[in-house]
Amino acid sequence: MSDVDKRNRLSEEPFTYRITKKGTVVIYYKGKQIKFLKDREALRLIERINEVENNITELQLLLAKITGNFKRGNEKLGKNK
C-alpha cells in the first residue's frame, strides 16, 4: 500500500481535466471546477499529463497535487434551510 493514498480515494478517479483550444487547463473535482491554469503553468501540466497518461493513479495524484489543499472539511453542503 502506498503511503500517499492510504484511504484509496484516488482509485475512485475524483479528478478530471479539460484542455481548451486556447491551451488552458481546467481541473474538476467530482464535476465541480476547482482550478484554472493558463500560460506556462498549463503547458507544464500538459507535458506532465502526457508523461503519465496511461497510469490512472499517477494522473490522479498529479491532479491532486496541482489543486493543493482545497478541501478542509468545513465546506458548506448547500442545504436549503
Side-chain angles (χ1 to χ4, degrees):
M1 179 187 294
S2 173
D3 287 343
V4 176
D5 189 23
K6 291 182 182 178
R7 293 182 287 173
N8 238 1
R9 297 276 172 100
L10 295 179
S11 63
E12 300 169 2
E13 298 183 36
F15 293 97
T16 55
Y17 68 94
R18 184 171 56 100
I19 301 172
T20 65
K21 291 179 183 178
K22 293 182 179 181
T24 59
V25 179
V26 183
I27 301 175
Y28 300 91
Y29 178 77
K30 294 185 178 181
K32 293 183 179 181
Q33 178 180 335
I34 55 170
K35 188 86 170 178
F36 184 82
L37 304 171
K38 60 182 181 177
D39 299 330
R40 193 177 317 157
E41 195 174 11
L43 289 175
R44 272 191 258 138
L45 179 61
I46 292 169
E47 289 174 4
R48 291 282 297 141
I49 287 173
N50 290 334
E51 291 174 10
V52 298
E53 193 171 33
N54 296 328
N55 189 342
I56 299 299
T57 306
E58 287 292 322
L59 178 61
Q60 289 293 308
L61 184 60
L62 174 67
L63 294 174
K65 286 181 178 182
I66 289 294
T67 58
N69 188 8
F70 73 95
K71 287 187 70 75
R72 298 195 175 271
N74 61 352
E75 292 84 12
K76 302 285 184 194
L77 296 177
K79 295 181 181 178
N80 293 332
K81 293 184 179 181

